[in-house]
Amino acid sequence: MTALAQGKLSDDALMSCSQLPALMGRSGFQTPNDVLDRAAKVRAARAAGEADPPRSNSAGEAADWGNRSENMILAEAAARLNLPLQIDVLEAVTHYELKLQGSLDGILQGDGRVIEHDPANGIYVAGSGFVALTGPGVLEAKLTGVMPLDEAADYRGPLQCQGLMMCTGYIWSAIATLYRGTELRIYIAAADAAVQEKIKADVFDFE
């Protein structure tokens, strides 16, 4: 494990998986135009031989605490799922066809077990209610002050993870969300062909 969580590794001139909720109109914090404007400014600066414009940090202290807590959340999620964890992911992952990149918080090594929906133990499985942990899986850490939810909000991991699965070829993901500093819920999902087709279309439109 690394001592500190890694920052955003993807190229600001491209669509990133973390920006997919905004691109798709599912974020309460950014609009599709905000995402397009940022990429346009970065590309214009590079064309002029200038440095990238600084990233905004409108989340402020909340984002800072999220970064400080990330590795703890990842480690606890791996322990509860009893799976090996890698968090020193130092390079962005890139889709083979789309101009889409992402940064992985962590990678879980699946053991083939079938995980079922088990709210009593903090495990929430999307869709069919069970997911096979076959091969490596995407692991994302989230920290929020809202009340715990039985289904993760689209802008708090699910769309991001579908994009990351597209970039890596992995077929399952887990989002470990620490609510109000007191309750950890793990949301597990399989790759969703319909959602990924929508992401593909929207990224093509963005370009």
Side-chain angles (χ1 to χ4, degrees), residues 7-18:
K8 186 174 184 288
L9 301 172
S10 52
D11 187 343
D12 282 352
L14 303 179
M15 175 52 53
S16 70
C17 294
S18 62

Side-chain angles (χ1 to χ4, degrees), residues 10-193:
S10 52
D11 187 343
D12 282 352
L14 303 179
M15 175 52 53
S16 70
C17 294
S18 62
Q19 292 177 314
L20 287 173
L23 176 68
M24 301 171 76
R26 304 304 295 270
S27 170
F29 309 103
Q30 284 186 308
T31 68
N33 282 340
D34 291 332
V35 177
L36 183 61
D37 182 61
R38 169 64 184 172
K41 287 179 177 177
V42 169
R43 294 180 186 185
R46 292 180 185 178
E50 300 171 356
D52 289 3
R55 292 172 177 166
S56 65
N57 186 19
S58 58
E61 188 174 3
D64 183 53
W65 281 110
N67 290 334
R68 289 172 179 267
S69 305
E70 183 175 293
N71 287 356
M72 174 192 69
I73 294 170
L74 296 172
E76 180 61 24
R80 292 191 185 188
L81 294 172
N82 194 27
L83 293 174
L85 169 66
Q86 176 189 352
I87 60 175
D88 54 343
V89 185
L90 304 179
E91 295 182 359
V93 292
T94 305
H95 193 271
Y96 74 97
E97 178 186 19
L98 301 172
K99 291 184 178 180
L100 176 67
Q101 287 190 338
S103 304
L104 289 164
D105 288 347
I107 300 172
L108 288 170
Q109 297 299 326
D111 57 8
R113 277 181 296 146
V114 174
I115 292 288
E116 296 185 350
H117 193 63
D118 185 12
N121 289 306
I123 304 296
Y124 295 79
V125 178
S128 63
F130 61 91
V131 171
L133 307 184
T134 303
V138 171
L139 177 60
E140 283 293 306
K142 303 296 180 185
L143 177 71
T144 179
V146 306
M147 292 297 292
L149 300 172
D150 290 344
E151 184 176 347
D154 281 343
Y155 56 84
R156 198 172 287 124
L159 291 175
Q160 179 183 6
C161 283
Q162 289 295 328
L164 289 169
M165 284 188 278
M166 292 170 69
C167 290
T168 58
Y170 299 168
I171 61 173
W172 66 277
S173 66
I175 305 163
T177 304
L178 182 61
Y179 288 96
R180 304 171 69 87
T182 60
E183 183 173 342
L184 183 70
R185 294 192 175 189
I186 303 173
Y187 303 96
I188 298 177
D192 187 318

